[in-house]
Amino acid sequence: MAAATRNRIVRLMELSDLYSQKILDLAGNAPQPGRLVGADASARKVSRVCGSVIEVDVVVRDGVIAGYGHEISACALGQTSAAVVAREIVGTPVAEFRQLREQMHAMLKENGAPPSGKWDDLRFLEPVREYRARHMSTLLVFDAVVEALEKAESAESVAAAS
């Protein structure tokens, strides 16, 4: 077998390890909340590497995420991240979600520990750290939600100043 063919087979085997059965189950059974009517803020993020897209909507009350919606077109990794977020985000304090975003970035980019507690299923994304080209789609939902939270806080500040 030629070296190029052998390398291709090894790479395909590695990718099949990345897309574990748990990842495929989470992505395949992902809640599809749809867009949220009456959101405090929305954000759209696109991965320039793979073309994954997510649009999120949030409602924030007293520093806690009280409503969430999204529409996504992404690979199984992006769908898995979004599925866990959609399932767990309502009732999460804004500060906790920001910490979660930082923890996910650290897990993928700095060999950080995976999240725990209600976010424990995100640990199945830990192997993504070895595939830099897959980081952006995996992190899209976290970056989009934090951007939407910043917009909501900004709008709240403007309203309070009026």
Side-chain angles (χ1 to χ4, degrees):
M1 181 181 304
T5 302
R6 191 171 34 258
N7 288 343
R8 230 177 287 130
I9 290 170
V10 168
R11 188 73 176 145
L12 288 173
M13 288 170 45
E14 289 172 352
L15 282 174
S16 71
D17 292 341
L18 177 61
Y19 291 96
S20 68
Q21 189 58 50
K22 187 62 177 178
I23 293 286
L24 297 175
D25 288 345
L26 285 166
N29 297 306
Q32 299 299 326
R35 299 301 302 271
L36 189 61
V37 177
D40 293 338
S42 301
R44 181 177 195 267
K45 288 288 184 183
V46 178
S47 169
R48 290 175 285 159
V49 174
C50 67
S52 292
V53 178
I54 189 164
E55 294 182 77
V56 302
D57 306 301
V58 295
V59 172
V60 179
R61 297 292 176 265
D62 301 318
V64 174
I65 301 165
Y68 174 80
H70 78 232
E71 195 168 276
I72 186 168
S73 174
C75 66
L77 302 172
Q79 289 178 36
T80 298
S81 295
V84 175
V85 168
R87 187 182 73 207
E88 303 295 346
I89 194 169
V90 173
T92 299
V94 169
E96 179 186 318
F97 193 86
R98 282 195 169 102
Q99 289 173 332
L100 174 67
R101 175 187 179 236
E102 295 309 312
Q103 189 171 14
M104 285 299 295
H105 276 264
M107 180 183 85
L108 294 182
K109 298 179 181 296
E110 302 164 12
N111 281 344
S116 57
K118 71 180 183 178
W119 303 106
D120 188 56
D121 277 347
L122 293 170
R123 77 184 186 284
F124 295 109
L125 294 163
E126 194 170 10
V128 175
R129 106 173 16 124
E130 303 304 323
Y131 300 87
R132 295 182 60 87
R134 305 283 196 253
H135 289 186
M136 193 161 189
S137 64
T138 304
L139 296 170
L140 271 182
V141 67
F142 302 100
D143 296 342
V145 169
V146 167
E147 182 178 312
L149 293 171
E150 289 169 355
K151 288 179 179 179
E153 289 169 343
S154 178
E156 186 178 311
S157 295
V158 168
S162 299

